[in-house]
Structures are given as structure tokens and as C-alpha cells.
Amino acid sequence: MSRTEKYEKWISRGKMPDSAFKTMIELSSLEDPIEAAIDMQKRVIYDDNLRIYFFVDDSNLYYFKPR
């Protein structure tokens, strides 16, 4: 089972908003935004076009972009 499959139930598909964010926080692994989103009662969104996982909390963008 891949990392993405392991966390499939916590990830939705969508588009990253174009709005400005107070802070953009880059996370180092796929597990990081998922665990943080769960703790903050949020969902992680995957943007197929940008190939980025993210969630927004209080105008802060938390994201992970696989290399």
C-alpha cells in the first residue's frame, strides 16, 4: 500500500484558492499535513493541476508538494 492509498480517506480533490495567505508553511512529508489537518479538524485537499496537498487554517496555508 502506497502512502497516498494509506491516507486516501483524509484527502479530498479540489483546487487551491488564488487568495493571498498570511503565511505559507511548507511541510516535509505527506504525513505532516494530514496529521496537522486531523488535529485541526480540517481536510487535506489535493490539487491535480498543481500536484500539491494543502489545507487552510486562519488564512495560513499548510502544504506539501511531492518532488
Side-chain angles (χ1 to χ4, degrees), residues 2 7 14 19 28 32 34 41-42 44 52-53 60-61 65:
S2 72
Y7 294 112
S19 60
S28 61
D32 292 336
I34 291 172
Q41 299 182 342
K42 305 286 182 182
V44 171
I52 191 170
Y53 296 87
N60 297 314
L61 176 74
K65 185 163 178 115

Side-chain angles (χ1 to χ4, degrees), residues 16-22 24 56 59 61:
M16 192 158 85
D18 293 329
S19 60
F21 299 101
K22 187 182 343 177
M24 295 179 65
V56 178
S59 71
L61 176 74

